Every structure is written in C-alpha cells, then in structure tokens.
Amino acid sequence: MSKPGKARYRLSAVKASYAEAVGGDTVEVETDDGKIYTFPHPLFADDETNRQIDAADGDAGKARVLLGEQWDAFVKSGGDANGLMLVFVAARADMQDTMGKHRPPRQ
C-alpha cells in the first residue's frame, strides 16, 4: 500500500502513454519508391540495441543496427546511412520535445 500523497506510476500505463505521445514504439521511414522500413523508437529501444548502436562504427554501422535484416532492401530502395541517421536524430529531437511537455498518468 502506498503512503498518502506519494506518487505511484503503473509501468505499463506510463509506457503506453509515452508511446502514444511520440507516435508509437517504432519509427517508420518511407523511401522515395514508397516502401516503408521501421526501427525501434529511440525511447523504446532495448538495452542490447542501444549498446550495439553505441558500439557501431559510423553512420553506416549504426544504420545497419537500426534496420537489421531490412538494411539491404532499404539500400536497394534508395536509402542510405546518412539519411537514416537524420531520421533517427529527428525522432530523438521530437522525443525530447514531447518528454518535456508530456505528463504520464499516475495510478
């Protein structure tokens, strides 16, 4: 039982609230040929994915981690590492703006 006046957050509700606020737990990237590729939203990437991104060499390495098995198809669709990393940076910037304004539910 919680102490009176103490905040309690339900983990699943907080995650759902932030997922809704940032547009979901994945980021979609559409190439000029209309194909859509996805990677984990920076707010929801798991620890292993974050470690791999941090350890990756340059934009090409980081982009390959983000897209995984989708990478070759992404490149064939006209995508490149620099473009994908610009999307990643944009998603992080949007996330930071949202997090400053969003208040998750207390339960």
Side-chain angles (χ1 to χ4, degrees):
M1 184 167 180
S2 248
K3 294 180 181 178
K6 189 158 179 112
R8 177 182 285 183
Y9 296 90
R10 182 167 304 199
L11 185 57
S12 60
V14 170
K15 285 183 176 181
S17 174
Y18 276 110
E20 183 178 332
V22 298
D25 60 358
T26 58
V27 175
E28 293 184 348
V29 180
E30 183 176 348
T31 52
D32 290 340
D33 63 1
K35 294 183 180 167
I36 297 173
Y37 302 89
T38 62
F39 61 85
H41 192 286
L43 186 59
F44 298 103
D46 61 43
D47 290 343
E48 181 57 27
T49 299
N50 285 327
R51 276 193 285 275
Q52 289 177 7
I53 291 168
D54 290 344
D57 189 30
D59 285 352
K62 291 176 186 345
R64 287 175 188 270
V65 170
L66 284 171
L67 288 183
E69 294 177 1
Q70 303 172 88
W71 174 251
D72 290 335
F74 177 74
V75 171
K76 287 179 185 173
S77 289
D80 60 38
N82 183 261
L84 186 69
M85 294 314 297
L86 288 173
V87 172
F88 182 77
V89 168
R92 288 183 65 158
D94 286 346
M95 171 189 74
Q96 290 171 342
D97 288 345
T98 298
M99 291 187 71
K101 299 171 190 168
H102 183 72
R103 296 291 173 247
R106 290 184 183 188
Q107 292 184 355

